[in-house]
Amino acid sequence: MRATRSGSCSSRNRGFVSRSGEIRSTSTSSAASRARTSSGVYARRRRSARAGSYRPKAYVCRPAEALPLLDKALRHRMARLGAHHYATRMTQMRIAEAELALGRTATALAELETLWTGSQATLGAKHPHTLDLRRMLAEAQAADGRLQQAEAHLRAVLALAVQRLQPHNNRIAWTHYGLGRVLLRERKLAEGLDELRSARALFVRNFGAGHSQVAVIDALLADPKTVESARKTS
């Protein structure tokens, strides 16, 4: 499994960097207003509060460029918000994701493990930000070849998410997608395809059939080798 999310670097997901060092999307329509946060950083409103978290992946598309800017944002948030604020942890998670995209798996794993443990202690295991960190930890474990651990974490995220989030939340879509890819690598092909179909249905519901991630999943589902292997093992 690749460390990055396939399809996340399409033109619609490219971003720019604000003066504070936070990476923004250039794809959101002008109708999406900006609200100034207490730290003075502009943050776009969610595309849909009901759909859940959706963020551009410029820090994955161009990680070498993104890292110094994310480091700057982290220093800003550490100074203004403190080490235990969820926004600080989310910036640290973006740094770990960029490290993962650069192949620095051990560094990313250590950082994500620490962040997830800290978030559990302060926010609880079911908090959306804790779930984000646990899902990214699973991504890093999968990139490191720890597939059984990654599968266990992703299944746990799904089990906890349905207790806290709406069933169509986009975090759930990304978790189905990540679990599907892990299962395919473990040769649990029928299960993996089912997870990918679940992810696809949620992406279509939340963003429409033209979303780039839908095309990525369609390509996986249409791969003759994958489909034939799944048919033999189902």
Side-chain angles (χ1 to χ4, degrees):
M1 180 187 302
R2 288 175 26 173
T4 61
R5 293 185 185 127
S6 300
S8 62
C9 296
S10 64
S11 59
R12 74 178 65 199
N13 283 340
R14 289 174 186 160
F16 66 94
V17 181
S18 69
R19 276 180 267 181
S20 66
E22 185 173 0
I23 295 178
R24 308 276 178 214
S25 170
T26 58
S27 63
T28 309
S29 66
S30 59
S33 60
R34 295 177 181 176
R36 182 178 289 277
T37 66
S38 59
S39 63
V41 179
Y42 278 104
R44 289 191 185 276
R45 294 177 182 172
R46 293 171 189 258
R47 292 183 60 170
S48 167
R50 297 178 64 195
S53 176
Y54 174 79
R55 284 178 169 73
K57 299 299 171 190
Y59 45 84
V60 172
C61 300
R62 303 187 300 279
E65 289 180 61
L67 272 175
L69 299 167
L70 287 166
D71 284 336
K72 179 180 177 182
L74 179 60
R75 290 193 299 273
H76 177 81
R77 286 179 168 174
M78 280 282 195
R80 299 292 292 272
L81 303 173
H84 301 297
H85 194 278
Y86 75 88
T88 304
R89 282 204 185 100
M90 287 301 100
T91 305
Q92 290 173 301
M93 186 182 83
R94 303 306 176 199
I95 291 173
E97 194 166 359
E99 295 279 9
L100 195 59
L102 290 169
R104 302 168 187 170
T105 308
T107 301
L109 272 169
E111 181 71 8
L112 289 165
E113 185 76 48
T114 300
L115 291 170
W116 173 54
T117 301
S119 189
Q120 281 191 109
T122 56
L123 298 176
K126 299 178 185 178
H127 193 280
H129 296 295
T130 307
L131 296 176
D132 286 341
L133 287 164
R134 191 169 190 177
R135 178 172 53 80
M136 273 310 306
L137 175 60
E139 292 264 358
Q141 289 172 332
D144 197 44
R146 306 181 193 180
L147 299 179
Q148 290 185 333
Q149 289 177 285
E151 179 186 347
H153 276 303
L154 291 167
R155 290 192 186 279
V157 169
L158 286 175
L160 292 169
V162 297
Q163 300 175 37
R164 175 71 183 263
L165 306 173
Q166 293 292 325
H168 51 262
N169 189 282
N170 204 44
R171 288 179 171 90
I172 296 175
W174 277 113
T175 308
H176 280 301
Y177 176 65
L179 179 57
R181 291 188 302 156
V182 167
L183 291 169
L184 290 181
R185 288 184 63 191
E186 292 181 303
R187 307 304 293 171
K188 300 175 181 178
L189 300 173
E191 287 183 82
L193 290 177
D194 284 343
E195 292 294 331
L196 291 177
R197 292 186 188 102
S198 295
R200 185 188 188 281
L202 288 173
F203 283 123
V204 169
R205 183 208 180 278
N206 292 339
F207 302 115
H211 190 265
S212 60
Q213 196 60 31
V214 176
V216 169
I217 295 173
D218 283 343
L220 287 171
L221 293 174
D223 186 332
K225 294 180 180 179
T226 300
V227 174
E228 180 62 24
S229 296
R231 187 178 296 115
K232 291 178 180 178
T233 58
S234 59

